[in-house]
Amino acid sequence: MLIGHGDFGTKSSGVRAKMAERVARDVEAALEAAGIEASVERPWSRVVVRTDRPRDAARVAATLPGVAFARPAVAVDPELDAIRTAVRRLAEAGPHDASETYAVDSDRIGSADAHDFSSRDLDVEAGRIVGEVTGASVDLDDPDRTYRIEAREREAFVSSIRFAGPRGLPVGTQGRVAVLVSGGLDSPVAMWRLLRRGCVTVPVYVDLGEYGGADHRARALEVVRTVAERAPRADLRPRVVDGGELVERIVEGTEHTRMLSLRRAMLAAAEGVAEAVDAHSVATGEALGQKSSQTGWNLATTDAAVSLPVHRPLLTADKLDIVAAARDLGTYTDATLPVGCDRIAPSHPETNATVEEVLAAEPDGLLAAAREAGRSAEIHSP
């Protein structure tokens, strides 16, 4: 199986090599977790995986940040006859019939005298064989199937299937972020998007006490576990903050600005966790205008509660796009389980608050207590 890297191909050779090595080790760990025996090499720009389960391995590898694609391949000597045989083998194995169009994409890589054929020769020969075996038509613009050939100096790789990966950067290259997670649709997707950009995402779940409950907590921990499978070497153990007393104080002391004080307390708790784990920022799954607490004015008011940057990967995302992303990520089913945690919101929440208005109603010392709760958060181990 061949793996192509993600969004770091334009970086310096030294940085590119370090990131490619991270991808290789992440693939190795993910395959081991999946029970797939394999050897993982990085002889050049590609990561090469040798296994007797190449399709299964490709499916696993294609879930990891930093992976642009994974191709199950036949490895042969870099000679024209051997490559012809490999192409015929793949075309006969299918499934590929006359109803599917095809194309051939070949590269001959190495010194000028490394091969006695050109890339054009590979395209012509492979195209002829596939057409002969399948009876299919060629479509160079939008083929149903592309046969890919990479002929290198010591080995050639022939493939007919490509699993698209998430691209991005390998996890661990962009530091830590403390991410507020609730177990709903949004926060796991936000967590995933930050993972995909190379961040180690430290999940922060604020336990709402009697306003949340065991089901609410279990849902949050399960969706985090699902996302964490895509970063097999990173420490993504959730930090569970005891927020029951904080919520009680907010409910007793506030009305229209209640949800804003709750969000501010959650951000402060996340900041406490960030301090404890040396994270450079905090993040949430909020999207602009999605809820009353997420209007532009209210987001500015809640951000004033912390000094660290607050990232919102879903800021401009539509809900339907978030739902689709949750389905792709595998968190949709757990995230939509009914857990009954809707008793905090007031009848008429404020949508255009100022910091002064929120502070006037907010319990004294709330944010300091929330930060301290974050610093002493429980580390949940599966």
Side-chain angles (χ1 to χ4, degrees):
M1 178 184 67
L2 296 187
I3 295 173
H5 56 65
D7 192 28
F8 53 90
T10 60
K11 297 186 181 295
S12 68
S13 58
V15 172
R16 192 165 61 245
K18 289 179 180 178
M19 289 193 174
E21 184 63 24
R22 278 184 177 269
V23 170
R25 302 289 73 81
D26 285 347
V27 169
E28 190 173 55
L31 294 180
E32 182 179 355
I36 298 175
E37 293 187 8
S39 65
V40 181
E41 309 162 7
R42 192 180 60 81
W44 11 267
S45 60
R46 297 278 187 263
V47 174
V48 180
V49 178
R50 302 184 189 277
T51 176
D52 60 1
R53 296 172 59 189
R55 287 202 188 194
D56 292 337
R59 289 188 183 93
V60 171
T63 68
L64 304 177
V67 172
F69 63 81
R71 289 195 185 104
V74 177
V76 297
D77 291 333
E79 300 171 355
L80 192 55
D81 282 346
I83 294 171
R84 287 193 189 104
T85 300
V87 171
R88 182 175 296 277
R89 173 182 167 188
L90 290 178
E92 290 175 343
H96 185 183
D97 56 33
S99 66
E100 279 190 311
T101 59
Y102 72 95
V104 178
D105 178 23
S106 304
D107 277 323
R108 189 188 63 84
I109 303 161
S111 61
D113 59 352
H115 309 95
D116 59 358
F117 53 82
S118 66
S119 296
R120 173 64 178 166
D121 293 334
L122 292 176
D123 287 343
V124 170
E125 283 297 295
R128 178 186 62 78
I129 291 169
V130 174
E132 175 186 303
V133 170
T134 66
S137 301
V138 173
D139 184 346
L140 300 181
D141 296 321
D142 186 25
D144 295 315
R145 185 182 295 260
T146 298
Y147 288 77
R148 170 70 180 161
I149 303 171
E150 289 188 21
R152 296 182 175 270
E153 291 193 3
R154 297 182 179 180
E155 202 167 17
F157 302 90
V158 185
S159 58
S160 61
I161 299 174
R162 181 183 188 274
F163 293 87
R167 304 184 300 277
L169 302 175
V171 176
T173 60
Q174 303 303 312
R176 293 186 180 89
V177 181
V179 184
L180 281 168
V181 295
S182 65
L185 287 166
D186 305 329
S187 54
V189 176
M191 179 180 168
W192 162 241
R193 290 194 177 184
L194 287 165
L195 273 178
R196 184 178 165 273
R197 295 307 304 170
C199 293
V200 173
T201 53
V202 181
V204 181
Y205 172 71
V206 179
D207 193 317
L208 303 178
E210 66 177 37
Y211 290 91
D215 290 345
H216 188 267
R217 173 172 171 155
R219 184 182 71 170
L221 296 177
E222 182 60 24
V223 296
V224 165
R225 185 197 63 77
T226 299
V227 178
E229 291 176 349
R230 296 176 177 240
R233 294 195 304 139
D235 182 3
L236 303 189
R237 290 176 298 171
R239 269 56 178 181
V240 179
V241 177
D242 184 358
E245 184 177 336
L246 298 173
V247 177
E248 289 176 5
R249 292 177 62 190
I250 293 169
V251 171
E252 290 173 2
T254 61
E255 184 55 41
H256 300 318
T257 59
R258 182 180 301 165
M259 297 309 294
L260 300 182
S261 286
L262 178 61
R263 294 303 298 173
R264 284 162 56 85
M266 287 181 168
L267 284 174
E271 188 171 55
V273 171
E275 293 171 1
V277 301
D278 194 27
H280 51 62
S281 53
V282 298
T284 80
E286 293 167 308
L288 190 61
Q290 187 180 120
K291 296 180 180 179
S292 63
S293 62
Q294 298 174 23
T295 65
W297 300 277
N298 284 350
L299 291 179
T301 298
T302 55
D303 281 7
V306 295
S307 58
L308 288 179
V310 181
H311 300 311
R312 294 183 173 89
L314 307 183
L315 184 70
T316 60
D318 289 341
K319 192 66 177 184
L320 290 179
D321 294 332
I322 297 171
V323 169
R327 290 185 185 277
D328 290 341
L329 192 56
T331 57
Y332 177 83
T333 299
D334 289 317
T336 52
L337 291 173
V339 293
C341 56
D342 303 323
R343 297 182 293 120
I344 302 176
S347 300
H348 302 286
E350 178 61 60
T351 60
N352 187 11
T354 65
V355 175
E356 292 73 21
E357 289 171 332
V358 174
L359 284 174
E362 201 164 83
D364 293 338
L366 177 71
L367 300 185
R371 284 190 187 87
E372 184 55 36
R375 294 188 192 102
S376 58
E378 169 198 350
I379 300 176
H380 176 79
S381 297

